[in-house]
Amino acid sequence: MVAGAAVSLRLTEGPRAGDDAPSGESRPDAPPGRAGAGASADDFQLRTWAAVNELPSYDPEPAAAVADAERFDLLTALRPTYAGEVGAMRAANPDLQLLVYMNGSYATRVQEFTYPEDWYARDASGLKVRSQRFGAFLMDPSHPGWVADRARTCANFIAESGYGGCFVDDLGAGSLFASVVTGQPINPATGSEWTTAEWLEATAGIAAAVKREVGPAPVIGNGLGDGGRYFSSEAPTSRLLDILDGGIAEGWLRQGMAPLDDQPSEGEWLENVDLLVDADRNDKTVLTLTKTWGEGTLEQKQRWYDFTLASFLLGAGEDAHFAFSFDPASPPTGVTHPTDLDLGAPRGVYTRRDGVYQRDFTRGRVLVNPSPLPGAVDLARRVGDPQGRSRERASRAPMGARLRPPPRPARPGAGDPRPPPSPQRPPPAIGTAHRGRPPDG
């Protein structure tokens, strides 16, 4: 159960003269360079994004659109969502990446007869294949007509919306899952069901056509899935990053509708962390999206948020973006992410010591225990915990504690206007103003 997912983010006093990066047990089977790719010479910044397109009814007022731009580094949205507000949003955040949504593999449910009949994917009975959830029509990703249509459509959407690039949804082989579509599509080139590798390569062709059409505008595709699919020996979705400017891992750590007490194995969890560091090593942008859309309590979902954020911090490089969705009916921009982590710069690779995965920063440490066994960690030096007590060793429960930022030590001459925390009133656990918080209502 994630109720037990042991996670801690602990701020320390930072390195002292002569301090070395902590040594530890790196993942023994990690490819060379993989675990250390996330290191950066600059202070780590938590970059966040929101899949605004997932709530088509979202129609923000001008002030809300500007607030979205100020709070997020990247937004994906439908053409009408921010119509007329793009200039104000860019003025508020000149670094904002605003990408227009386009589906790469499906025609909408009202487009059953919009395209030539041979563009549609069909099952062994000759029936058009549809999305079980949305009723959209799956298309043949290898058909030259459909491929060219997607490239033109992306260019038109960018011009109409005024956004800066394109987000291409439903790449990769997710559309072959029996739970996603009404039937298994037949590859017209073979007369047999599409294999995962064939479908991935065909959707990669769509990605390449779109990129050729609109480059140098950024194109990001949804199709990485999770760590297991990214590193698959049969059809690695990392292939999409050879073509695109970045990719979305929508199933990062868990599937959205999975029961909240389903926990990835340690190996599965580690593949997801390594997805981040591998993409960073190759200078590619990765957007993670983790959903807790299954039934459960807010406390369960909050624990998932803590576990997900800490896991992200273990492997994220400077071009990784974090997103979390508590509920499908809530505005994606309504989640409040922590803005005051102040970890400093990464001091090296993530390591595994005493059964706990750790990554040290110049002003903090991230600890995650994804296993069902408890672990304990020796801190680099005596620091205050959230209750103001002095500790040299932090216990990490099996599968589930909280992410708590302890008091930030005063730095002489830093001019920090905040008063030191009162022993009678410790700082809040991440989950109020300091923590990922679900949207109101």
Side-chain angles (χ1 to χ4, degrees), residues 83-415:
E85 307 302 331
V86 176
M89 295 171 71
R90 286 180 175 150
N93 180 4
D95 296 325
L96 174 69
Q97 291 193 63
L98 185 56
L99 307 180
V100 65
Y101 175 90
M102 183 193 73
N103 198 294
S105 298
Y106 290 86
T108 69
R109 61 185 178 183
V110 299
Q111 293 179 319
E112 182 176 3
F113 304 107
T114 301
Y115 301 100
E117 286 296 299
D118 61 342
W119 290 18
Y120 293 84
R122 297 177 184 273
D123 62 19
S125 299
L127 299 176
K128 291 180 178 177
V129 179
R130 305 184 70 172
S131 160
Q132 292 197 35
R133 181 179 178 192
F134 300 106
F137 290 89
L138 186 64
M139 308 301 283
D140 175 2
S142 66
H143 197 289
W146 176 251
V147 174
D149 179 86
R150 292 301 84 190
R152 288 192 303 269
T153 299
C154 175
N156 291 338
F157 280 7
I158 292 175
E160 294 168 11
S161 65
Y163 298 178
C166 196
F167 161 43
V168 186
D169 199 7
D170 286 309
L171 301 177
S175 294
L176 298 184
F177 293 169
S179 60
V180 173
V181 290
T182 57
Q184 287 300 299
I186 300 299
N187 184 345
T190 65
S192 301
E193 293 182 358
W194 283 89
T195 67
T196 300
E198 290 169 348
W199 191 272
L200 174 63
E201 197 59 29
T203 60
I206 293 175
V210 171
K211 183 60 183 174
R212 285 194 301 269
E213 182 72 20
V214 305
V219 179
I220 288 179
N222 186 9
L224 299 183
D226 58 13
R229 289 163 64 186
Y230 183 91
F231 292 114
S232 166
S233 59
E234 175 190 355
T237 57
S238 57
R239 164 82 174 97
L240 296 172
L241 294 185
D242 295 336
I243 300 165
L244 298 169
D245 299 292
I248 296 174
E250 185 175 351
W252 202 70
L253 292 184
R254 70 184 315 274
Q255 296 303 308
M257 299 302 297
L260 296 185
D261 57 359
D262 279 5
Q263 175 77 20
S265 69
E266 184 172 346
E268 292 169 337
W269 170 85
L270 196 56
E271 284 183 319
N272 280 275
V273 175
D274 281 342
L275 181 160
L276 294 175
V277 290
D278 182 77
D280 183 59
R281 177 170 61 87
N282 290 289
D283 296 321
K284 292 293 184 178
T285 296
V286 167
L287 284 61
T288 67
L289 176 55
T290 306
K291 301 175 179 178
T292 52
W293 287 8
E295 292 186 5
T297 67
L298 180 59
E299 181 181 7
Q300 284 179 300
K301 296 186 176 190
Q302 192 66 72
R303 285 173 175 167
W304 261 110
Y305 180 95
D306 292 346
F307 179 73
T308 304
L309 177 59
S311 299
F312 178 86
L313 294 173
L314 276 183
E318 60 180 344
D319 290 326
H321 293 64
F322 177 81
F324 193 94
S325 179
F326 286 83
D327 185 273
S330 301
T333 57
V335 179
T336 301
H337 298 292
T339 58
D340 58 350
L341 293 178
D342 193 24
L343 289 169
R347 298 189 67 194
V349 305
Y350 74 73
T351 61
R352 184 177 183 272
R353 286 170 282 167
D354 303 315
V356 178
Y357 290 85
Q358 310 177 38
R359 189 183 188 190
D360 278 22
F361 295 76
T362 53
R363 292 191 295 278
R365 180 183 296 181
V366 177
L367 311 172
V368 182
N369 179 9
S371 77
L373 301 175
V377 178
D378 290 315
L379 299 176
R381 59 186 61 85
R382 187 174 291 270
V383 298
D385 71 3
Q387 283 71 45
R389 298 170 301 199
S390 182
R391 298 177 62 114
E392 291 181 326
R393 190 167 178 80
S395 297
R396 297 275 62 84
M399 297 281 181
R402 295 192 195 175
L403 191 61
R404 291 179 180 269
R408 190 169 104 181
R411 289 177 290 173

